[in-house]
Amino acid sequence: MAEAYIIDAVRTPRGIGKPGKGALSHLHPQHLAATVLAAIRDRNDLDTKSVDDVIWSTSTQRGKQGTDLGRMAALSAGYPITVSGVTLDRFCGGGITSVNLAAATVMSGMEDCIVAGGTEMMSYTAQLAAEEANAGIKPLGMGAGNAALDALHPQSHQGVCGDAIAAIEGIDRAAVDALALVSQQRADRAIKEGRFAKSVVPVLNPDGTVALDHEEFPRPETTAEGLAALKPSFDAIADFGLGGGVTFRKQIQRRYPGLEFRGVHHAGNSSGVVDGAAAILLTSKDYADKHGLKPRARVVAYANIGDDPTLMLNAPVPAAKKVLEKAGLIKDDIDVWEINEAFAVVAEKFIRDLDLPRDKVNINGGAMALGHPIGATGSILIGTALDELERSGGRYGLVTMCAAGGMAPAIIIERL
């Protein structure tokens, strides 16, 4: 089987994902995707006529984020019309999956050069959700009013799931707040030391002025006392009526009778709502040699797995075990671990279950500090892991994340 090499990884800074408030919120999602596609071309003197495909991830594929964003953004970035594109959705996990599929296609020998990545404009999707709610459109499991369907629907609300998992695992408020503080501190250190500088490219307005050239979401002034003072975000949502006497809490309790739980998650220890995009260039060895490209890493193995959709967030641990087995590695071989901080309990449980050294996990902070642009985050994390391997001299990095539906993709890369 051929090798799949990672030539380069770029991303935008993450902007606050609130309509009219974030520095990127006035832009079209296609513009963000085109920004990183253009950057990956320009940084590598990439002959885009030789790009076989663009594999893109976007979770909410409606409105401005619909109509195959990967293909449209490639055209917007000036790629020739011969470059095809496809856009996929694995919820939060799509940014890893786009890279995994690109790697698989190269390793199969069917293609030689693919750009993978993802985009999510949460400032836009928040507006879209509000418009749909005002139009009376409510997705299943969010108050559709059809009690029979809601009773069958196994997936609860993610934040409520996080609180339920914390209760099951005996992870208290102090533990999740402590992890959130560490995330902010590590992100602040990484930014001050320029650890993201290699990958981050500025986003320009259509008139050429700078829209955003730095991370907009982090709150380095965060303190333990400030986190402790925040009220839980999901207690009221847990008891939200879905129709027929069903609530999110009762959805979970049907599967876990007698489980009592209360909120431990809030805005400070949950992933930030942001806008962002990322792109990764993958090629075969022959292509890299022919075009004078120096690979930065190779894809060692990837895996996908599903877990309980009722709790939704627990698949990363089995995904990590599965990809380690495929790679023929053990956890001690991994120098850099990136587990998306969808909620603090996800990362805390991951660390505890795998008995990992905390100084190897989310070394430069995570989504609690930097934000989680759903469809783009996985690609961002792969780039972050690669940058950290190069900075620290490590060999292997493992990236995984929970996704709605109770899923998790995973990937292991090796620095070259």
Side-chain angles (χ1 to χ4, degrees):
M1 184 178 293
E3 297 278 14
Y5 287 132
I6 295 176
I7 305 300
D8 201 8
V10 302
R11 67 173 178 87
T12 68
R14 280 161 280 196
I16 292 171
K18 293 184 179 180
K21 295 183 179 180
L24 302 176
S25 62
H26 64 291
L27 298 171
H28 195 288
Q30 186 173 306
H31 183 81
L32 255 63
T35 294
V36 291
L37 286 170
I40 207 85
R41 174 197 62 207
D42 297 344
R43 284 167 47 128
N44 298 282
D45 196 21
L46 178 64
D47 177 10
T48 51
K49 293 190 298 294
S50 65
V51 173
D52 293 308
D53 205 2
V54 172
I55 303 179
W56 216 245
S57 162
T58 303
S59 185
T60 301
Q61 294 183 31
R62 299 196 300 278
K64 294 179 182 179
Q65 291 198 164
T67 63
D68 191 355
L69 195 61
R71 165 65 171 174
M72 297 302 109
L75 295 174
S76 182
Y79 283 44
I81 60 172
T82 52
V83 178
S84 58
V86 64
T87 304
L88 59 87
D89 176 15
R90 198 193 291 274
F91 302 113
C92 297
I96 294 178
T97 296
S98 65
V99 176
N100 289 352
L101 291 178
T105 307
V106 171
M107 293 166 78
S108 74
M110 291 294 104
E111 307 281 15
D112 289 298
C113 177
I114 298 180
V115 182
T119 303
E120 204 81 38
M121 293 282 293
M122 297 184 77
S123 58
Y124 170 66
T125 59
Q127 177 185 350
L128 188 65
E131 290 172 355
E132 291 183 350
N134 290 335
I137 302 171
K138 294 181 183 294
L140 183 64
M142 288 294 289
N146 187 325
L149 288 176
D150 280 326
L152 292 172
H153 192 49
Q155 181 167 283
S156 186
H157 183 282
Q158 290 189 347
V160 178
C161 290
D163 289 342
I165 292 167
I168 292 169
E169 299 294 328
I171 298 173
D172 61 17
R173 170 73 181 261
V176 290
D177 279 357
L179 194 65
L181 183 59
V182 168
S183 184
Q184 291 285 353
Q185 292 170 339
R186 289 181 176 181
D188 185 46
R189 177 189 64 190
I191 291 168
K192 288 177 177 176
E193 294 182 1
R195 296 188 184 185
F196 300 140
K198 188 171 186 176
S199 292
V200 174
V201 297
V203 179
L204 304 182
N205 290 307
D207 65 3
T209 59
V210 174
L212 187 65
D213 61 1
H214 63 279
E215 298 291 346
E216 191 176 29
F217 188 79
R219 291 155 290 187
E221 71 280 2
T222 299
T223 64
E225 294 76 17
L227 290 169
L230 294 175
K231 294 182 179 180
S233 297
F234 305 111
D235 279 340
I237 295 174
D239 296 313
F240 179 78
L242 301 176
V246 179
T247 64
F248 287 125
R249 189 185 304 277
K250 289 181 179 178
Q251 276 186 322
I252 292 173
Q253 289 173 335
R254 279 201 304 265
R255 292 289 305 277
Y256 298 89
L259 176 64
E260 297 295 335
F261 61 93
R262 61 185 181 85
V264 296
H265 289 96
H266 48 73
N269 59 29
S270 304
S271 55
V273 176
V274 295
D275 301 330
I280 296 180
L281 175 60
L282 298 100
T283 76
S284 65
K285 182 180 187 302
D286 287 346
Y287 182 97
D289 290 344
K290 180 180 178 181
H291 291 82
L293 298 172
K294 184 179 180 181
R296 296 173 61 190
R298 74 178 183 97
V299 176
V300 178
Y302 71 85
N304 300 291
I305 204 163
D307 201 89
D308 180 4
T310 298
L311 290 180
M312 201 185 311
L313 310 177
N314 282 341
V317 169
K321 291 178 178 179
K322 184 176 181 179
V323 77
L324 283 168
E325 183 177 358
K326 283 191 172 188
L329 300 173
I330 61 174
K331 66 179 184 179
D332 291 342
D333 293 322
I334 305 300
D335 301 296
V336 173
W337 297 81
E338 288 287 339
I339 168 67
N340 186 43
E341 295 171 350
F343 300 92
V345 74
V346 176
E348 182 66 25
K349 182 179 188 300
F350 190 82
I351 292 167
R352 294 186 186 191
D353 284 1
L354 294 174
D355 190 23
L356 299 178
R358 290 180 179 266
D359 61 354
K360 289 187 176 183
V361 182
N362 296 351
I363 297 167
N364 296 310
M368 290 185 288
L370 295 159
H372 171 28
I374 309 296
T377 302
S379 299
I380 290 174
L381 295 184
I382 293 169
T384 298
L386 175 54
D387 285 345
E388 180 57 29
L389 287 171
E390 291 177 338
R391 187 196 70 83
S392 63
R395 182 176 181 182
Y396 292 112
L398 189 155
V399 183
T400 188
M401 59 201 306
C402 60
M407 300 183 289
I411 186 173
I412 293 175
I413 63 172
E414 179 184 15
R415 178 182 65 86
L416 297 176

